[in-house]
Amino acid sequence: MLLREIAHSRAGDKGDMSNISVIAYRQEDYALLERTLTAERVRAHFAGVVHGEVVRHALPHLGALNFVMQRALGGGVTRSLALDAHGKALSGVMLDLELEG
């Protein structure tokens, strides 16, 4: 199943850092997110895009995980030659991640 089937995402950027939150639609799906959506898994999913550390913050009462990804925007929005290097675009990519039940 794709992540987008059980969660939605919000994202932002600052400099060369992308911050992506993944929020379960239903609280009962949060346990699956917490178990399968590790910082390592997210870093592998963004291979070639994220060149720095990925840190995961758990927000269980909100049913959410927050990922802070360093060196993720080609030097930052104002420095990158990419057409759409904003962190907000990466939230859609995050939701394409395949979950293992």
Side-chain angles (χ1 to χ4, degrees), residues 68-101:
V68 179
M69 304 186 302
Q70 302 290 334
R71 297 181 52 222
L73 301 173
V77 173
T78 59
R79 297 187 64 207
S80 175
L81 297 176
L83 222 46
D84 188 5
H86 293 22
K88 290 168 185 50
L90 297 181
S91 65
V93 175
M94 175 75 87
L95 294 175
D96 286 335
L97 195 140
E98 182 78 33
L99 292 177
E100 299 162 4

Side-chain angles (χ1 to χ4, degrees), residues 19-100:
N19 183 333
I20 301 178
S21 292
V22 176
I23 306 108
Y25 290 127
R26 301 175 319 150
Q27 186 65 33
E28 54 266 27
D29 290 328
Y30 175 74
L32 175 63
L33 294 180
E34 191 172 41
R35 185 174 66 251
T36 62
L37 207 53
T38 64
E40 295 78 19
R41 183 105 189 275
V42 168
R43 190 164 197 296
H45 184 67
F46 284 99
V49 175
V50 175
H51 301 285
E53 183 180 23
V54 174
V55 177
R56 183 182 92 162
H57 301 279
L59 305 159
H61 294 297
L62 297 176
L65 297 172
N66 181 263
F67 296 90
V68 179
M69 304 186 302
Q70 302 290 334
R71 297 181 52 222
L73 301 173
V77 173
T78 59
R79 297 187 64 207
S80 175
L81 297 176
L83 222 46
D84 188 5
H86 293 22
K88 290 168 185 50
L90 297 181
S91 65
V93 175
M94 175 75 87
L95 294 175
D96 286 335
L97 195 140
E98 182 78 33
L99 292 177
E100 299 162 4

